[in-house]
Amino acid sequence: MSNTTKVTIKAFRFNAETDYLPYYKSYEMEVGKDELVLDLLNRIKWEHDGSFSYRRSCRHGICGACGIKVNGKAVLSCKQNAMDLVELFGSELTFDPQSKKRVVKDMIIDKSDFWEKHAVVKPFVVADIDEHPTHETKVTKEEVENILDADYCIQCGNCHYACPALEVNEEFFGPAAFVAAYRFTVDPRDNAGKERLEMTSQLGQGVWDCVKCFECAEACPKEINPIEKITKLHNLEFEKGIATRNVATKHAEGFLRGMKKTGYLDEADIVLYSEGILGMYKHIPTAIKMMKSGKIHWHSGVPFINSIPKIKNLDEVQKLIKISQTNRL
Ligand code: SF4
Ligand code: SF4
Ligand code: FES
């Protein structure tokens, strides 16, 4: 029995200096069960076309250089087994760069927006260093656990270029910058936490513009779960009194208010609470669609009518909220 499978790879090709339009080129090869996506990239270059370009350096999932997309799935080439992808997608694999609109050549993209946003949140410990320290700085086990797993980030950019909020809003810092902001804000040696929380609380660029789609968590090869760090930044902003009253923070308050009152998610009430009556009329087309699909009732949209019934065991829900709430909104 053969230990290999015939695979067709369709690779995105584009040279920003010479090509007017991008195109796909197909390469056929027998792929072994232990080969990684990086091996296939190497084989395209070494066996088929020496001009094929991609980034790689460490081959050990450390340098963060080799992120690409295979059939739309963000992968770290040197960690991703190719046959697992064949099992998932079949024997035709499409290799794309992380972001087509930023391509310099083939799989290589211009990551400057990623690095600029990363740098803005000060991804380092900001501290006054005593030039002649008399003792070491001790960090407790709990404090270290707080930093992990955010500290495992290798800045591959997979989450950043998988984020739909970033695609439509260039100001948005993106999940990797938030991971870094969180990691250094909770570092007990750092003094710039307030500054980072202020930056990441701004509407447009900050954590409140995340739409909680979980694409970043899916895309991360280090299983860091950036959205968890985003939620922790939300909490820290409330705890430290940095969160300002705006439509996003009022949305969080409105959610909590509704859950306490009825135990149900009252979409209409949240909109009314966070955006006011005028804001509510903006959402009439969406409300009609939601009514049609049975997600809200017609009377839910009428302001000031308490039409949502109370859930059975509301007191249990209220107790759960009390136990789980880490801060006051
Ligand atoms: S959860 Fe938020 S940060 Fe993560 S990909 Fe979605 S919008 Fe972007
Ligand atoms: S959080 Fe994960 S996906 Fe995002 S840059 Fe860091 S390692 Fe890559
Ligand atoms: S080559 Fe370094 S992370 Fe893949």
Side-chain angles (χ1 to χ4, degrees):
M1 211 175 89
S2 165
N3 277 333
T4 61
T5 302
K6 190 170 184 173
V7 174
T8 303
I9 297 165
K10 278 173 64 193
F12 181 92
R13 304 296 309 265
F14 182 65
N15 181 343
E17 284 184 359
T18 55
D19 293 335
Y20 180 59
L21 286 173
Y23 58 97
Y24 284 91
K25 201 159 176 191
S26 293
Y27 306 94
E28 287 194 354
M29 54 183 84
E30 291 289 332
V31 177
K33 66 176 175 41
D34 295 327
E35 284 189 278
L36 302 167
V37 169
L38 181 59
D39 295 320
L40 307 193
L41 290 169
N42 287 337
R43 286 178 61 190
I44 294 175
K45 188 172 185 72
W46 297 339
E47 296 169 14
H48 295 266
D49 182 350
S51 73
F52 182 62
S53 304
Y54 51 100
R55 285 196 180 106
R56 84 272 193 256
S57 180
C58 69
R59 206 187 191 276
H60 288 288
I62 296 298
C63 73
C66 67
I68 66 162
K69 284 183 180 164
V70 179
N71 293 38
K73 178 180 161 54
V75 301
L76 197 62
S77 306
C78 69
K79 251 192 106 188
Q80 176 66 55
N81 179 282
M83 290 312 290
D84 286 351
L85 293 175
V86 170
E87 242 170 66
L88 194 62
F89 297 117
S91 60
E92 188 172 294
L93 300 179
T94 304
F95 287 5
D96 280 308
Q98 286 173 315
S99 167
K100 287 183 194 167
K101 70 180 181 192
R102 297 172 175 89
V103 172
V104 177
K105 192 160 186 290
D106 303 334
M107 299 296 127
I108 297 176
I109 64 162
D110 175 357
K111 272 175 81 173
S112 50
D113 69 308
F114 173 85
W115 293 118
E116 280 158 19
K117 286 169 177 171
H118 193 249
V120 167
V121 300
K122 300 198 171 174
F124 43 83
V125 172
V126 178
D128 297 325
I129 305 290
D130 183 349
E131 282 182 23
H132 306 287
T134 51
H135 59 82
E136 62 190 319
T137 304
K138 287 190 180 153
V139 179
T140 66
K141 189 167 168 274
E142 290 71 31
E143 286 167 338
V144 171
E145 277 166 5
N146 237 355
I147 290 169
L148 300 175
D149 47 351
D151 203 37
Y152 296 143
C153 176
I154 55 170
Q155 289 93 43
C156 68
N158 270 11
C159 59
H160 187 86
Y161 295 114
C163 173
L166 207 133
E167 277 306 293
V168 295
N169 172 11
E170 285 183 9
E171 272 181 65
F172 188 55
F173 284 160
F178 296 137
V179 167
Y182 170 77
R183 185 255 174 265
F184 291 99
T185 294
V186 296
D187 192 308
R189 302 161 297 176
D190 178 81
N191 297 325
K194 185 165 177 278
E195 198 185 329
R196 286 191 205 92
L197 290 176
E198 279 168 355
M199 261 188 248
T200 55
S201 71
Q202 300 295 315
L203 284 190
Q205 65 189 29
V207 283
W208 297 101
D209 281 71
C210 162
V211 296
K212 299 189 171 57
C213 65
F214 282 81
E215 286 291 333
C216 51
E218 266 294 302
C220 180
K222 293 288 180 181
E223 294 174 14
I224 285 170
N225 194 355
I227 188 156
E228 188 207 9
K229 314 301 175 278
I230 290 171
T231 307
K232 287 182 171 174
L233 286 170
H234 286 153
N235 284 342
L236 281 170
E237 283 169 20
F238 281 116
E239 275 168 25
K240 309 279 180 203
I242 286 168
T244 49
R245 277 183 78 72
N246 57 46
V247 63
T249 51
K250 280 200 280 179
H251 190 274
E253 286 176 345
F255 179 87
L256 183 66
R257 190 179 85 128
M259 294 306 285
K260 276 183 181 165
K261 205 161 64 180
T262 63
Y264 284 111
L265 172 62
D266 183 350
E267 299 273 10
D269 186 62
I270 293 178
V271 175
L272 177 64
Y273 183 78
S274 52
E275 299 187 46
I277 295 177
L278 283 181
M280 218 172 155
Y281 288 115
K282 223 174 52 191
H283 297 289
I284 285 177
T286 312
I288 292 172
K289 277 190 206 155
M290 290 174 83
M291 279 178 207
K292 279 189 183 161
S293 61
K295 289 196 93 182
I296 57 173
H297 297 293
W298 69 266
H299 45 71
S300 309
V302 182
F304 311 117
I305 293 185
N306 249 341
S307 56
I308 301 287
K310 288 191 169 80
I311 200 170
K312 263 198 259 168
N313 305 331
L314 178 59
D315 55 330
E316 291 295 318
V317 173
Q318 289 168 341
K319 266 189 234 160
L320 279 173
I321 292 172
K322 207 168 171 188
I323 297 165
S324 59
Q325 203 175 350
T326 52
N327 53 67
R328 287 171 63 84
L329 298 187

PDB file of all heavy atoms in Angstrom, residues 114 152-160 175-176 179 216 219-222 224 226, ligand 2:
ATOM      1  N   PHE A 114       0.547  45.288  10.868  1.00  0.00           N
ATOM      2  CA  PHE A 114       0.585  44.421  12.054  1.00  0.00           C
ATOM      3  C   PHE A 114       1.643  44.915  13.046  1.00  0.00           C
ATOM      4  O   PHE A 114       1.368  45.092  14.232  1.00  0.00           O
ATOM      5  CB  PHE A 114       0.907  42.987  11.606  1.00  0.00           C
ATOM      6  CG  PHE A 114       1.151  42.025  12.732  1.00  0.00           C
ATOM      7  CD1 PHE A 114       0.096  41.383  13.346  1.00  0.00           C
ATOM      8  CD2 PHE A 114       2.435  41.770  13.195  1.00  0.00           C
ATOM      9  CE1 PHE A 114       0.315  40.508  14.396  1.00  0.00           C
ATOM     10  CE2 PHE A 114       2.666  40.897  14.238  1.00  0.00           C
ATOM     11  CZ  PHE A 114       1.600  40.256  14.836  1.00  0.00           C
ATOM     12  N   TYR A 152       3.058  33.282  25.026  1.00  0.00           N
ATOM     13  CA  TYR A 152       3.481  32.339  23.980  1.00  0.00           C
ATOM     14  C   TYR A 152       3.319  32.906  22.575  1.00  0.00           C
ATOM     15  O   TYR A 152       3.630  32.233  21.602  1.00  0.00           O
ATOM     16  CB  TYR A 152       2.674  31.035  24.077  1.00  0.00           C
ATOM     17  CG  TYR A 152       2.889  30.254  25.342  1.00  0.00           C
ATOM     18  CD1 TYR A 152       1.841  29.577  25.964  1.00  0.00           C
ATOM     19  CD2 TYR A 152       4.156  30.163  25.914  1.00  0.00           C
ATOM     20  CE1 TYR A 152       2.038  28.861  27.130  1.00  0.00           C
ATOM     21  CE2 TYR A 152       4.354  29.449  27.084  1.00  0.00           C
ATOM     22  CZ  TYR A 152       3.291  28.798  27.691  1.00  0.00           C
ATOM     23  OH  TYR A 152       3.490  28.091  28.833  1.00  0.00           O
ATOM     24  N   CYS A 153       2.770  34.125  22.472  1.00  0.00           N
ATOM     25  CA  CYS A 153       2.521  34.696  21.143  1.00  0.00           C
ATOM     26  C   CYS A 153       3.831  34.819  20.367  1.00  0.00           C
ATOM     27  O   CYS A 153       4.825  35.324  20.878  1.00  0.00           O
ATOM     28  CB  CYS A 153       1.864  36.075  21.281  1.00  0.00           C
ATOM     29  SG  CYS A 153       1.635  36.883  19.683  1.00  0.00           S
ATOM     30  N   ILE A 154       3.823  34.343  19.116  1.00  0.00           N
ATOM     31  CA  ILE A 154       5.036  34.418  18.280  1.00  0.00           C
ATOM     32  C   ILE A 154       4.878  35.480  17.180  1.00  0.00           C
ATOM     33  O   ILE A 154       5.640  35.491  16.216  1.00  0.00           O
ATOM     34  CB  ILE A 154       5.367  33.041  17.657  1.00  0.00           C
ATOM     35  CG1 ILE A 154       4.160  32.493  16.881  1.00  0.00           C
ATOM     36  CG2 ILE A 154       5.837  32.062  18.722  1.00  0.00           C
ATOM     37  CD1 ILE A 154       4.458  31.268  16.038  1.00  0.00           C
ATOM     38  N   GLN A 155       3.853  36.324  17.315  1.00  0.00           N
ATOM     39  CA  GLN A 155       3.605  37.410  16.353  1.00  0.00           C
ATOM     40  C   GLN A 155       3.531  36.912  14.911  1.00  0.00           C
ATOM     41  O   GLN A 155       4.066  37.531  13.997  1.00  0.00           O
ATOM     42  CB  GLN A 155       4.688  38.501  16.470  1.00  0.00           C
ATOM     43  CG  GLN A 155       4.598  39.327  17.718  1.00  0.00           C
ATOM     44  CD  GLN A 155       5.465  38.794  18.837  1.00  0.00           C
ATOM     45  OE1 GLN A 155       6.592  38.406  18.601  1.00  0.00           O
ATOM     46  NE2 GLN A 155       4.941  38.764  20.038  1.00  0.00           N
ATOM     47  N   CYS A 156       2.873  35.782  14.713  1.00  0.00           N
ATOM     48  CA  CYS A 156       2.770  35.241  13.348  1.00  0.00           C
ATOM     49  C   CYS A 156       1.782  36.038  12.511  1.00  0.00           C
ATOM     50  O   CYS A 156       1.834  36.009  11.276  1.00  0.00           O
ATOM     51  CB  CYS A 156       2.363  33.770  13.398  1.00  0.00           C
ATOM     52  SG  CYS A 156       0.682  33.485  13.988  1.00  0.00           S
ATOM     53  N   GLY A 157       0.833  36.719  13.162  1.00  0.00           N
ATOM     54  CA  GLY A 157      -0.150  37.514  12.415  1.00  0.00           C
ATOM     55  C   GLY A 157      -1.354  36.724  11.928  1.00  0.00           C
ATOM     56  O   GLY A 157      -2.242  37.282  11.288  1.00  0.00           O
ATOM     57  N   ASN A 158      -1.407  35.431  12.210  1.00  0.00           N
ATOM     58  CA  ASN A 158      -2.558  34.627  11.735  1.00  0.00           C
ATOM     59  C   ASN A 158      -3.888  35.205  12.222  1.00  0.00           C
ATOM     60  O   ASN A 158      -4.846  35.306  11.475  1.00  0.00           O
ATOM     61  CB  ASN A 158      -2.442  33.179  12.244  1.00  0.00           C
ATOM     62  CG  ASN A 158      -1.685  32.307  11.269  1.00  0.00           C
ATOM     63  OD1 ASN A 158      -1.085  32.807  10.327  1.00  0.00           O
ATOM     64  ND2 ASN A 158      -1.711  31.010  11.487  1.00  0.00           N
ATOM     65  N   CYS A 159      -3.930  35.573  13.500  1.00  0.00           N
ATOM     66  CA  CYS A 159      -5.188  36.092  14.060  1.00  0.00           C
ATOM     67  C   CYS A 159      -5.515  37.457  13.453  1.00  0.00           C
ATOM     68  O   CYS A 159      -6.644  37.740  13.086  1.00  0.00           O
ATOM     69  CB  CYS A 159      -5.090  36.194  15.585  1.00  0.00           C
ATOM     70  SG  CYS A 159      -3.759  37.262  16.164  1.00  0.00           S
ATOM     71  N   HIS A 160      -4.494  38.278  13.318  1.00  0.00           N
ATOM     72  CA  HIS A 160      -4.657  39.643  12.804  1.00  0.00           C
ATOM     73  C   HIS A 160      -5.293  39.609  11.408  1.00  0.00           C
ATOM     74  O   HIS A 160      -6.251  40.329  11.135  1.00  0.00           O
ATOM     75  CB  HIS A 160      -3.270  40.278  12.755  1.00  0.00           C
ATOM     76  CG  HIS A 160      -3.213  41.724  12.412  1.00  0.00           C
ATOM     77  ND1 HIS A 160      -3.350  42.712  13.351  1.00  0.00           N
ATOM     78  CD2 HIS A 160      -3.017  42.360  11.226  1.00  0.00           C
ATOM     79  CE1 HIS A 160      -3.223  43.897  12.771  1.00  0.00           C
ATOM     80  NE2 HIS A 160      -3.035  43.701  11.477  1.00  0.00           N
ATOM     81  N   PRO A 175      -6.447  41.526  17.152  1.00  0.00           N
ATOM     82  CA  PRO A 175      -6.299  40.609  18.285  1.00  0.00           C
ATOM     83  C   PRO A 175      -4.880  40.432  18.817  1.00  0.00           C
ATOM     84  O   PRO A 175      -4.681  40.329  20.029  1.00  0.00           O
ATOM     85  CB  PRO A 175      -6.840  39.282  17.741  1.00  0.00           C
ATOM     86  CG  PRO A 175      -6.937  39.444  16.255  1.00  0.00           C
ATOM     87  CD  PRO A 175      -7.088  40.897  15.980  1.00  0.00           C
ATOM     88  N   ALA A 176      -3.872  40.431  17.935  1.00  0.00           N
ATOM     89  CA  ALA A 176      -2.502  40.202  18.425  1.00  0.00           C
ATOM     90  C   ALA A 176      -2.031  41.378  19.272  1.00  0.00           C
ATOM     91  O   ALA A 176      -1.367  41.198  20.304  1.00  0.00           O
ATOM     92  CB  ALA A 176      -1.557  39.975  17.256  1.00  0.00           C
ATOM     93  N   VAL A 179      -3.557  40.991  22.626  1.00  0.00           N
ATOM     94  CA  VAL A 179      -2.872  39.951  23.419  1.00  0.00           C
ATOM     95  C   VAL A 179      -1.635  40.565  24.076  1.00  0.00           C
ATOM     96  O   VAL A 179      -1.389  40.380  25.280  1.00  0.00           O
ATOM     97  CB  VAL A 179      -2.483  38.733  22.526  1.00  0.00           C
ATOM     98  CG1 VAL A 179      -1.516  37.808  23.257  1.00  0.00           C
ATOM     99  CG2 VAL A 179      -3.723  37.954  22.098  1.00  0.00           C
ATOM    100  N   CYS A 216     -10.145  34.765  15.503  1.00  0.00           N
ATOM    101  CA  CYS A 216      -8.761  34.854  15.978  1.00  0.00           C
ATOM    102  C   CYS A 216      -8.372  33.621  16.794  1.00  0.00           C
ATOM    103  O   CYS A 216      -7.254  33.111  16.680  1.00  0.00           O
ATOM    104  CB  CYS A 216      -8.554  36.129  16.790  1.00  0.00           C
ATOM    105  SG  CYS A 216      -9.774  36.387  18.089  1.00  0.00           S
ATOM    106  N   ALA A 219      -7.693  30.824  14.474  1.00  0.00           N
ATOM    107  CA  ALA A 219      -6.503  30.995  13.632  1.00  0.00           C
ATOM    108  C   ALA A 219      -5.189  30.836  14.391  1.00  0.00           C
ATOM    109  O   ALA A 219      -4.148  30.637  13.779  1.00  0.00           O
ATOM    110  CB  ALA A 219      -6.541  32.381  12.988  1.00  0.00           C
ATOM    111  N   CYS A 220      -5.227  30.908  15.719  1.00  0.00           N
ATOM    112  CA  CYS A 220      -3.977  30.971  16.482  1.00  0.00           C
ATOM    113  C   CYS A 220      -3.298  29.600  16.603  1.00  0.00           C
ATOM    114  O   CYS A 220      -3.852  28.683  17.199  1.00  0.00           O
ATOM    115  CB  CYS A 220      -4.230  31.544  17.877  1.00  0.00           C
ATOM    116  SG  CYS A 220      -2.714  31.619  18.841  1.00  0.00           S
ATOM    117  N   PRO A 221      -2.085  29.451  16.098  1.00  0.00           N
ATOM    118  CA  PRO A 221      -1.392  28.147  16.185  1.00  0.00           C
ATOM    119  C   PRO A 221      -0.878  27.848  17.586  1.00  0.00           C
ATOM    120  O   PRO A 221      -0.467  26.739  17.873  1.00  0.00           O
ATOM    121  CB  PRO A 221      -0.232  28.310  15.202  1.00  0.00           C
ATOM    122  CG  PRO A 221       0.036  29.778  15.179  1.00  0.00           C
ATOM    123  CD  PRO A 221      -1.283  30.462  15.391  1.00  0.00           C
ATOM    124  N   LYS A 222      -0.886  28.852  18.457  1.00  0.00           N
ATOM    125  CA  LYS A 222      -0.389  28.646  19.824  1.00  0.00           C
ATOM    126  C   LYS A 222      -1.530  28.492  20.827  1.00  0.00           C
ATOM    127  O   LYS A 222      -1.301  28.523  22.044  1.00  0.00           O
ATOM    128  CB  LYS A 222       0.509  29.834  20.221  1.00  0.00           C
ATOM    129  CG  LYS A 222       1.788  29.906  19.427  1.00  0.00           C
ATOM    130  CD  LYS A 222       2.710  28.779  19.862  1.00  0.00           C
ATOM    131  CE  LYS A 222       3.997  28.793  19.097  1.00  0.00           C
ATOM    132  NZ  LYS A 222       4.888  27.696  19.480  1.00  0.00           N
ATOM    133  N   ILE A 224      -3.751  30.503  21.879  1.00  0.00           N
ATOM    134  CA  ILE A 224      -3.724  31.584  22.871  1.00  0.00           C
ATOM    135  C   ILE A 224      -5.129  32.114  23.177  1.00  0.00           C
ATOM    136  O   ILE A 224      -5.387  32.620  24.247  1.00  0.00           O
ATOM    137  CB  ILE A 224      -2.780  32.713  22.375  1.00  0.00           C
ATOM    138  CG1 ILE A 224      -1.344  32.237  22.547  1.00  0.00           C
ATOM    139  CG2 ILE A 224      -3.009  34.015  23.114  1.00  0.00           C
ATOM    140  CD1 ILE A 224      -0.312  33.117  21.897  1.00  0.00           C
ATOM    141  N   PRO A 226      -7.092  34.808  21.676  1.00  0.00           N
ATOM    142  CA  PRO A 226      -7.052  36.267  21.874  1.00  0.00           C
ATOM    143  C   PRO A 226      -8.365  36.840  22.419  1.00  0.00           C
ATOM    144  O   PRO A 226      -8.345  37.815  23.165  1.00  0.00           O
ATOM    145  CB  PRO A 226      -6.769  36.805  20.468  1.00  0.00           C
ATOM    146  CG  PRO A 226      -6.072  35.686  19.772  1.00  0.00           C
ATOM    147  CD  PRO A 226      -6.695  34.429  20.301  1.00  0.00           C
TER     148      PRO A 226
HETATM  149  S1  SF4 B   2      -2.015  35.499  19.132  1.00  0.00           S
HETATM  150 FE1  SF4 B   2      -1.623  33.569  18.092  1.00  0.00          FE
HETATM  151  S2  SF4 B   2      -2.241  33.937  15.966  1.00  0.00           S
HETATM  152 FE2  SF4 B   2      -2.070  35.915  16.933  1.00  0.00          FE
HETATM  153  S3  SF4 B   2       0.001  36.599  16.430  1.00  0.00           S
HETATM  154 FE3  SF4 B   2       0.107  35.596  18.435  1.00  0.00          FE
HETATM  155  S4  SF4 B   2       0.605  33.455  17.987  1.00  0.00           S
HETATM  156 FE4  SF4 B   2      -0.062  34.376  16.063  1.00  0.00          FE
END
